């Protein structure tokens, strides 16, 4: 009986066993590396959203009339066309500016009616003073010079009137200089990444103004008086 | 029949073959053993990183957003200036250095949370809280968004606060009935806000390991990450005492509660008229009770002894009071030491392992992993 080749079979068996072990480990390590990479990327996306709030604060500090901002007549320095339509996310995928804005204003993808935006709910409990989110800054992060290490994401920053006001006009920042909520805006920054990754921050920005002969005299700069990450509240 | 010679092996050939086989088997076994050790240790090491990441991510997310402001706080100051929204607490085991804390208490408020201001003085500590109908009351069918079972942080202008559960609501009267008597009756103008309040700490498990847990307002203990052998929190705070001003009509503070009117009488009689736990009046000029320990704008680490020496503010937390220095907090350094769950991958207790295991060969060891992060408290400025 010829036994030539037994060694080959043994070697093949041992090699395949060791290869399986090594392959299993390699898959596990690469999966973890991928998970860590995604985690690191979403952390960077959070900081990009925070940078969006800072950019909005900078532009709002330059704005003389926040009513124009709330009505959508004035936008920030970072825009890439009309505040409607669909944009490509550099990392892959697309984001619809209109749908995202409508979702915030009435929870629907289609256009919102005034009645829908004024409807009370747990998420929007202020009736006719409910926030009317307006896109203020929006653009592909790699195209923005403001970022030192831009990632392949898309940034959206909305502004809206704060919930303190009772003037019934969410498109105006308080009726008078001494009106409750005058000089306070809400800002929401969201960053969209690959595979549906999103990070969002909502902040309240305030400027310190006093009435002088009916006109606002404001101190320079903007104060962030509230800051919150919206991890559980992203639709 | 003729027998033909059989081509068998001699005894020497067999012995040589056996020795060669034994050597080959030994060599293969020698290869397999480290491979098996690596196969056990690598997933455990990956799991270690994963748990460390998950624990830190949850803690940083909560601490970063702690004390977001609400509209109903208008006129009193930002929520983070009315109450300390992050409170480091000592470790129940007392095994940390003086500069470190073993647990942390965090108050979080969602945007557009249920909120309101008391319309009138609470009739007594067990009495119903009547909320003002406007302007800070959300217009929903519940009382300003509050429902039975919700947890509410109630805060008075002097910085006293406590957390209560709502037993029932009366929509017509805009009233909230607390599930249990409070420690004091709260005056008109006090802020009520739906808050999520959690204490993060380590809890010992039946097998002797520790888990990072979250203890909710309702008293539920929710596990977050297993196998956290140690955890520490180092608070950093503003070195300078707050600037205070009273212009005859309203007060202003660079941080902490704003000075009240010098003639305002504390209904609890704890402080002289106008005084709070942070401010005291010298004539019509408010003075801070807090000491400066450095230049304005610089952060210094706070040891447990710094946050346990007053001046004291009353609150129904942590023994009924809190140190006013907690208003200085601007940053929290968090570290977690995570260990592998299997004792067969842990070596003797010491520098590498907080808890000893059964592994003797270093090739099988997966040492504890310590991760650290600094979190700026975005709302405490």
């Amino acid at each position: 009986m010829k036994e030539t080749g037994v060694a080959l079979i043994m070697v093949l068996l041992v090699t395949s066993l060791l290869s399986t072990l090594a392959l299993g480990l390699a898959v596990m390590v690469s999966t973890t590396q991928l998970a860590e990479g995604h985690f690191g990327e979403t952390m960077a996306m959070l900081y990009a959203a925070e940078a969006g709030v800072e950019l909005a604060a900078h532009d709002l500090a330059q704005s003389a009339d926040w009513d124009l901002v709330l009505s959508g007549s004035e936008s920030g320095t970072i825009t890439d066309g009309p505040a409607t339509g669909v944009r490509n996310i550099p990392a892959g995928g697309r984001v619809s500016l209109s749908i995202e804005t409508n979702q915030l204003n009435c929870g629907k993808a289609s256009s919102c009616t005034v009645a829908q935006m004024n409807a009370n709910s747990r998420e929007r409990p202020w009736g006719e003073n409910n926030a009317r989110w307006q896109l203020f800054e929006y653009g592909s992060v790699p195209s923005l010079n403001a970022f030192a290490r831009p990632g392949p994401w898309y940034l959206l920053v909305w502004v809206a009137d704060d919930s303190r006001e009772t003037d019934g006009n969410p498109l105006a920042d308080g009726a008078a200089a001494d009106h409750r909520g005058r000089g306070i805006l809400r800002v929401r920054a969201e960053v969209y990444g690959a595979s549906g990754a999103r990070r969002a921050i909502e902040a309240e920005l305030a400027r310190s103004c006093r009435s002088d002969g009916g006109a606002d005299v404001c101190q320079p700069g903007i104060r962030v008086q509230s800051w919150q990450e919206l991890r559980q509240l992203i639709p | 029949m003729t027998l033909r010679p059989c081509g068998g092996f001699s005894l020497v050939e067999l012995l040589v073959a056996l020795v060669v086989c034994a050597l080959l088997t030994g060599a293969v076994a020698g290869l397999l053993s480290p491979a098996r050790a690596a196969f056990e240790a690598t997933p455990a090491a990956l799991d270690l990183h994963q748990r460390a990441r998950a624990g830190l991510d949850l803690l940083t997310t909560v601490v970063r957003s702690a004390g977001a402001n609400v509209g109903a706080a208008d006129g009193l100051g930002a929520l983070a200036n009315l109450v300390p929204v992050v409170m480091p607490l000592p470790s129940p085991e007392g095994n940390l250095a003086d500069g470190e804390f073993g647990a942390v208490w965090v108050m979080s408020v969602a945007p557009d949370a249920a909120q309101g201001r008391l319309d009138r003085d609470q009739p007594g500590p067990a009495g119903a809280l009547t909320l003002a109908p406007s302007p800070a009351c959300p217009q929903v069918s519940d009382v300003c968004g509050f429902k039975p079972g919700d947890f509410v942080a109630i805060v008075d202008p002097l910085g006293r606060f406590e957390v209560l559960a709502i037993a029932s609501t009366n929509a017509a009267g805009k009233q909230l009935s607390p599930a249990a008597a409070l420690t004091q009756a709260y005056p008109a103008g006090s802020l009520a806000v739906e808050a999520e309040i959690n204490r993060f700490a380590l809890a010992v498990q039946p097998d002797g390991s520790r888990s990072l847990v979250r203890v909710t307002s309702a008293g539920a203990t929710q596990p977050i990450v297993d196998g956290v052998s140690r955890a520490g929190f180092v608070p950093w705070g503003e070195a300078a005492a707050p600037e205070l001003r009273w212009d005859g009509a309203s007060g202003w503070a660079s941080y902490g509660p704003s000075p009240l009117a010098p003639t305002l009488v504390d209904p609890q009689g704890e402080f002289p008229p106008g005084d709070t736990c942070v401010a005291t009046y010298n004539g019509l000029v408010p003075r801070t009770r807090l000491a400066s320990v450095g230049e304005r704008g610089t952060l210094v680490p706070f040891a447990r002894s710094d946050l346990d020496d007053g001046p004291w503010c009353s609150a129904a937390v942590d023994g009924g009071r809190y140190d006013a220095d907690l208003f200085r907090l601007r940053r929290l350094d968090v570290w977690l030491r995570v260990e592998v769950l299997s004792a067969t991958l842990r070596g003797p207790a010491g520098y590498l392992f907080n808890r000893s295991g059964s592994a003797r060969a270093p090739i099988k060891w997966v040492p504890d992993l310590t991760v650290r992060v600094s979190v700026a408290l975005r709302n405490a400025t």
Side-chain angles (χ1 to χ4, degrees), chain B residues 209-223:
Chain B
S209 68
R210 291 177 178 80
S211 298
L212 178 66
V213 298
R214 171 171 56 194
V215 183
T216 68
S217 306
T221 300
Q222 301 168 335

Side-chain angles (χ1 to χ4, degrees), chain B residues 58-59 62-63 66 85-93 101-108 163 195-204 211-225 231 233 316-319 332:
Chain B
L58 189 135
L59 281 170
V62 171
V63 170
V85 293
V86 172
M87 285 198 274
L89 303 172
S91 164
E93 300 170 25
F101 295 78
V104 66
W105 178 101
V106 185
M107 179 190 288
S108 306
V163 179
E196 188 179 328
I197 293 164
N198 295 302
R199 187 165 54 83
F200 297 89
L202 296 188
V204 180
S211 298
L212 178 66
V213 298
R214 171 171 56 194
V215 183
T216 68
S217 306
T221 300
Q222 301 168 335
I224 297 170
V225 175
F233 303 92
V317 293
D318 197 24
L332 191 69

